Amino acid sequence: MLLIHSKSGFFALWNNLIQVYLNKPAFQKFLEQFISSPYNSPEVQSGPDPWGDWLFQFFKDGVDSQTLKPLSPNILAVMVMGSVISLVRYRVYFKLKKSFAEQELQLIPQMVWDGIKNPQETNL
């Protein structure tokens, strides 16, 4: 299991998510279409969510170990996943513009990490 008890755990998660979404663009498109569809009903949303449960635990472990800011794991997951999805969308939908901004795009994971890490933790 991937742990977020360090900066490297966060970056492993980030890089793995980026690669999944970029290597399987149909997966990301399906998720976006499903979320906007009537199939994403209240019943579906309140049902089992293994990915959401894993993600919650990942961030909870980071908070519990004081690696991350003492925030709700759900809020941390929303921030990180939103940033991952936004970056993937930009890379997929704006390929020509992306080539001009590649160096700046490389700054995003560090910026997200800086936003969620516990500033009191000195071992990061």
Side-chain angles (χ1 to χ4, degrees):
M1 179 176 176
L2 192 60
L3 299 175
I4 193 163
H5 296 291
S6 67
K7 182 178 180 178
S8 63
F10 167 79
F11 280 92
L13 173 69
W14 180 277
N15 291 326
N16 287 333
L17 287 170
I18 294 290
Q19 288 308 307
V20 165
Y21 288 135
L22 290 177
N23 291 336
K24 306 278 187 194
F27 176 68
Q28 174 62 24
K29 288 177 185 175
F30 168 78
L31 287 176
E32 288 189 29
Q33 185 176 13
F34 175 80
I35 289 168
S36 301
S37 77
Y39 292 107
N40 188 20
S41 67
E43 294 81 20
V44 168
Q45 291 180 35
S46 63
D49 183 10
W51 167 242
D53 295 342
W54 184 90
L55 203 57
F56 177 89
Q57 191 61 52
F58 179 80
F59 288 107
K60 183 178 182 315
D61 290 346
V63 171
D64 290 348
S65 69
Q66 298 182 341
T67 301
L68 300 179
K69 290 179 179 177
L71 299 170
S72 162
N74 288 323
I75 295 299
L76 293 167
V78 166
M79 179 175 172
V80 171
M81 291 304 298
S83 297
V84 165
I85 291 167
S86 292
L87 179 57
V88 168
R89 281 181 184 157
Y90 187 83
R91 287 184 174 202
V92 170
Y93 299 135
F94 299 101
K95 290 178 183 170
L96 294 177
K97 289 183 181 182
K98 176 186 82 77
S99 64
F100 296 109
E102 192 58 39
Q103 288 183 338
E104 289 88 0
L105 294 176
Q106 295 298 324
L107 299 174
I108 293 173
Q110 183 64 50
M111 291 168 57
V112 173
W113 171 251
D114 290 343
I116 67 171
K117 72 179 179 180
N118 185 347
Q120 306 305 316
E121 179 61 41
T122 58
N123 295 326
L124 302 178

